[in-house]
Amino acid sequence: MMKRILLAAVTLLSVQAFTQNGVPVPCRLQASSLHAIGALAKKAKEATLRQYIANGIEENVMEKYNLIKETLSKDGDDSSSGSVAGPLQETLTRRKGTITVIAEYKRKLADSGFIKDVFEPEIMSNEFREFGAAGIAVLADERMGGCTYEDLGIFVEDQRRSKNEVPGPVKIINSDLIIDELQIAQSAALGVAAVVLNFAIIGAEETTKLLKAAKAVDLEVIVAVSNSDDAQEAVDLGARMISVINVQGADEKQKVIKDLKIPDGETVTTIANILHRENKGLEEVEEAWACRDKGFNCAWISDALYKAGNSDIEHPGAIIKSMTSKSSLKWASPVARSGRGEGAREYLGDIMM
């Protein structure tokens, strides 16, 4: 029985990965995560999944996978009917005039290879939580993010242990390139809260299927888009969290989501993926403030978190704190301040009076 299941899974991934001398060729990112890597990375991911299947799927993953396949085999499409905001969406969506932050953990930067002086997941998980991240994403792809599903599990477990602490646990997001239900099953078995689907890479049909697959195992979904047409189609398919990726600047990002037609009585949470600048400045903080002022609910920050390594001043936690501060673009500038505790100026937005 298990062999038949594995063979069926292999059939689903029948497209051959792009290889050179038998090795999948990685694709270099120019953005802050896996979201713009295109067809070659999709094929490489298919090869990775085939290898995972050949090595044997864990029993708890198979349980989730079978549940998903059973759900997908049923007639009817209920992916967009009666949508209710899940715990992650509620956390990311706060009152007007505020912005939350999703901090993405990775060991590789888009333009400079491995990050120097990055701490291990157990340490960064705690820092992200203490400094106010509303969500923690893990780029669980070794080629692009330098991370694995083992790292994803470490973040999940570490946040579980903080259940009785203040602040409490932060929801974990799998920001791997998701192309198949098997990855949804892996994510659910690990206990993550949500996954990311790249609309441009997988298309409308796969997005519909994977939305339904995620719902079957109680996972929330963030759909990443780069233009207004894809954003509207994703909403029409049932997506209720939209991340704008690979778009530079707050004004251009706003164009993607400003005319969205949202079903009556429902909420669509908008996330601005802040692209890092290849300099030592902190313009990304100002862009997060600008996106807040233009109505975005959340900022997704990745490479820019690690610009200064583990500097006592411009460490990842300080950048997160700055982005969520109430600083004004008119009266504040991203000048580094560090410290812990309510009375400390631990954010980068230093009010200039």
Side-chain angles (χ1 to χ4, degrees):
M1 179 63 182
M2 179 63 73
K3 289 183 177 179
R4 289 199 296 271
I5 293 172
L6 293 178
L7 287 172
V10 172
T11 302
L12 288 172
L13 303 171
S14 59
V15 180
Q16 294 297 311
F18 182 82
T19 62
Q20 186 174 40
N21 297 324
V23 179
V25 177
C27 182
R28 189 182 181 198
L29 275 174
Q30 298 300 320
S32 62
S33 68
L34 255 178
H35 301 316
I37 55 182
L40 295 183
K42 181 180 177 181
K43 291 177 181 178
K45 180 59 63 178
E46 289 166 345
T48 299
L49 284 173
R50 286 198 298 273
Q51 184 61 53
Y52 170 65
I53 293 166
N55 290 339
I57 303 173
E58 300 89 344
E59 185 176 343
N60 60 342
V61 175
M62 281 306 306
E63 289 177 0
K64 299 292 185 181
Y65 182 76
N66 289 335
L67 177 58
I68 289 170
K69 298 307 289 184
E70 180 182 354
T71 301
L72 293 178
S73 68
K74 296 177 181 177
D75 294 333
D77 178 15
D78 61 353
S79 61
S80 62
S81 61
S83 297
V84 177
L88 176 65
Q89 186 180 3
E90 289 183 347
T91 300
L92 299 181
T93 313
R94 297 179 183 171
R95 66 184 183 277
K96 186 177 180 180
T98 63
I99 196 164
T100 56
V101 170
I102 293 172
E104 185 172 52
Y105 179 81
K106 58 198 304 188
R107 290 192 176 94
K108 283 184 179 180
L109 290 179
D111 61 347
S112 59
F114 279 90
I115 304 168
K116 294 181 180 179
D117 303 322
V118 66
F119 286 128
E120 289 301 304
E122 297 90 342
I123 297 175
M124 294 308 298
S125 177
N126 186 58
E127 179 167 353
F128 291 158
R129 179 176 61 83
E130 285 192 359
F131 282 90
I136 298 172
V138 180
L139 187 48
D141 180 280
E142 288 191 83
R143 294 183 185 88
M144 307 310 303
C147 299
T148 66
Y149 276 65
E150 182 178 350
D151 293 316
L152 196 60
I154 292 171
F155 273 95
V156 170
E157 185 56 34
D158 185 75
Q159 292 302 320
R160 280 177 180 160
R161 288 197 296 267
S162 66
K163 182 177 181 180
N164 296 320
E165 298 181 15
V166 178
V170 179
K171 302 295 183 185
I172 306 301
I173 303 160
N174 183 5
S175 56
D176 187 14
L177 175 61
I178 304 293
I179 63 170
D180 188 83
E181 308 96 288
L182 186 56
Q183 293 164 284
I184 302 287
Q186 285 179 278
S187 302
L190 283 172
V192 306
V195 296
V196 178
L197 303 180
N198 188 311
F199 191 90
I201 291 179
I202 65 176
E205 184 176 349
E206 285 299 308
T207 297
T208 300
K209 182 177 72 173
L210 294 177
L211 280 169
K212 190 172 182 180
K215 186 175 181 179
V217 288
D218 297 320
L219 289 184
E220 296 179 67
V221 176
I222 297 170
V223 177
V225 301
S226 299
N227 60 68
S228 57
D229 290 340
D230 286 354
Q232 186 60 60
E233 189 167 5
V235 170
D236 293 343
L237 292 174
R240 294 298 177 261
M241 288 189 284
I242 298 294
S243 177
V244 178
I245 64 169
N246 305 324
V247 177
Q248 190 68 268
D251 290 335
E252 294 303 310
K253 286 179 171 68
Q254 186 190 36
K255 292 177 183 178
V256 177
I257 54 94
K258 69 176 182 178
D259 294 324
L260 280 178
K261 296 178 178 61
I262 301 170
D264 292 340
E266 300 205 16
T267 299
V268 171
T269 298
T270 53
I271 303 167
N273 191 293
I274 308 297
L275 303 180
H276 86 292
R277 275 69 163 182
E278 296 180 7
N279 56 43
K280 295 298 183 180
L282 295 168
E283 295 96 333
E284 297 91 345
V285 174
E286 291 184 328
E287 185 178 335
W289 294 343
C291 288
R292 173 201 62 196
D293 295 343
K294 292 183 179 299
F296 277 91
N297 303 114
C298 178
W300 180 300
I301 181 74
S302 183
D303 290 24
L305 286 174
Y306 310 102
K307 273 187 169 184
N310 293 312
S311 162
D312 289 339
I313 296 175
E314 296 175 7
H315 56 83
I319 294 172
I320 293 168
K321 198 70 174 179
S322 174
M323 287 185 168
T324 58
S325 72
K326 297 180 180 179
S327 299
S328 165
L329 280 169
K330 182 177 181 180
W331 300 110
S333 65
V335 178
R337 300 292 179 188
S338 183
R340 295 176 186 267
E342 189 170 341
R345 288 195 297 176
E346 58 200 353
Y347 53 84
L348 309 180
D350 188 23
I351 304 298
M352 299 187 300
M353 300 301 291

